[in-house]
């Protein structure tokens, strides 16, 4: 008997088609369970998904008022109103297009006391009954959330020092100025992520091909945190052809 299950892999011709299919799936899930608990991600990857979700929210008159959200991570030092914060990113790309209730939008607060904030977040997720569907991107170095490659990984929400690669890929949020990208973040840990009931990881573009192939075909290793998704029984990898181009299926 094996405890390791392969993630399900679905390859779409392009990012837009993938985003549309996932948005419809999330909309259906919300209509079936109005008090759904969403785990959400930031970065370039989910933008097309959030655009589609905004569209389907209008076309179906979707009611988000009983839903709850938790985002994966936030920069240390940035308050919710800071233009570079992930909280602002989510407001712009998704929240303002929905009737989510502000008190049901959960975020790590980057300018709070870090240790107390990480504890508070874990307790809040537990009190909400856990996350039903967690959306994930993947860093080119195989990180998920801000769980960066390292000799050891943290299980729970924690403070993390960002790699230069990760800071570089976030520079666009700070007018392209790498030195403005905070050096630290707060992030859900690996166990927090793996306890979500369903995981949907999106990846597109050639630059994600290697880490996607390592996630699916490689060994479990803390040097590629996303490889731990192989331990979860309900993971969908939603790829475009470029991101799937190095896979052995
Ligand atoms: P990206 O980042 O969507 O901007 O490529 C993904 C990630 O770092 O998790």
């Amino acid at each position: 008997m094996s405890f390791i299950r392969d993630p399900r892999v679905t390859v779409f011709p392009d990012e837009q088609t993938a985003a549309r299919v996932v948005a419809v799936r999330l909309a259906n899930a919300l209509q079936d369970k109005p008090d759904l608990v969403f785990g959400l991600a930031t970065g370039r990857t989910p933008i097309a998904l959030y655009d589609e979700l905004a569209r389907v929210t209008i076309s179906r008159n979707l009611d988000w008022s009983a839903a709850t959200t938790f985002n994966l991570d936030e920069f240390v030092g940035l308050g919710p109103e800071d233009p570079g914060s992930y909280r602002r990113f989510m407001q712009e790309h998704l929240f303002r297009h929905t009737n989510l209730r502000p008190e049901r939008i959960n975020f790590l607060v980057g300018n709070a006391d870090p240790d107390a904030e990480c504890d508070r977040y874990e307790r809040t997720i537990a009190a909400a009954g856990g996350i039903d569907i967690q959306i994930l991107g993947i860093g080119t170095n195989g990180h998920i959330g801000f769980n960066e490659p390292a000799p050891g990984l943290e299980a729970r929400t924690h403070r993390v020092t960002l790699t230069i690669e990760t800071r570089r890929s976030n520079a666009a949020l700070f007018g392209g100025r790498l030195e403005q990208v905070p050096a630290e973040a707060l992030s859900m840990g690996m166990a927090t992520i793996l306890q979500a009931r369903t995981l949907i990881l999106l990846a597109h573009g050639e630059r994600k091909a290697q880490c996607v192939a390592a996630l699916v075909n490689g060994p479990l290793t803390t040097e590629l945190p996303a490889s731990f998704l192989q331990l979860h029984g309900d993971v969908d990898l939603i790829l475009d052809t470029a991101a799937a181009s190095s896979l052995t299926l």
Side-chain angles (χ1 to χ4, degrees), residues 42-46 137-140 143-145 169 207-208:
T42 51
R44 275 157 290 181
T45 303
I138 182 170
T140 49
H143 76 198
I144 51 173
S169 49
R207 68 190 192 100
K208 299 291 174 74

Side-chain angles (χ1 to χ4, degrees), residues 100-160:
L100 272 163
R101 288 162 58 177
E103 67 273 22
R104 292 185 177 275
I105 294 174
N106 293 282
F107 238 90
L108 283 155
V109 177
N111 59 355
D113 172 72
D115 290 341
E117 183 57 10
C118 293
D119 283 353
R120 181 194 69 81
Y121 211 55
E122 287 287 337
R123 278 187 274 106
T124 312
I125 293 170
I131 292 168
D132 290 311
I133 302 178
Q134 175 70 55
I135 302 297
L136 297 169
I138 182 170
T140 49
N141 64 2
H143 76 198
I144 51 173
F146 275 140
N147 295 281
E148 300 279 26
L153 300 175
E154 297 271 348
R156 294 293 165 192
T157 302
H158 60 287
R159 182 177 191 163
V160 62

Side-chain angles (χ1 to χ4, degrees), residues 4-7 136-138 144 190 193-194 199-201 215 220 224-237:
I4 299 179
R5 312 238 206 115
D6 290 331
L136 297 169
I138 182 170
I144 51 173
M190 294 302 296
I193 292 169
L194 290 170
L199 302 176
I200 302 177
L201 184 144
L215 188 185
L220 296 189
L224 192 101
S227 64
F228 281 75
L229 299 191
Q230 293 176 28
L231 293 170
H232 194 287
D234 187 1
V235 184
D236 275 296
L237 298 192

Side-chain angles (χ1 to χ4, degrees), residues 142-210:
H143 76 198
I144 51 173
F146 275 140
N147 295 281
E148 300 279 26
L153 300 175
E154 297 271 348
R156 294 293 165 192
T157 302
H158 60 287
R159 182 177 191 163
V160 62
T161 300
L162 300 176
T163 62
I164 194 71
E165 187 175 352
T166 298
R167 290 180 68 208
R168 225 176 261 129
S169 49
N170 276 279
L173 282 174
F174 299 86
R177 292 185 304 274
L178 176 61
E179 71 284 359
Q180 302 279 322
V181 182
E184 293 181 302
L186 304 179
S187 176
M188 284 188 199
M190 294 302 296
T192 326
I193 292 169
L194 290 170
Q195 280 173 359
R197 286 179 269 280
T198 297
L199 302 176
I200 302 177
L201 184 144
L202 307 168
H204 52 78
E206 176 67 34
R207 68 190 192 100
K208 299 291 174 74
Q210 286 309 316

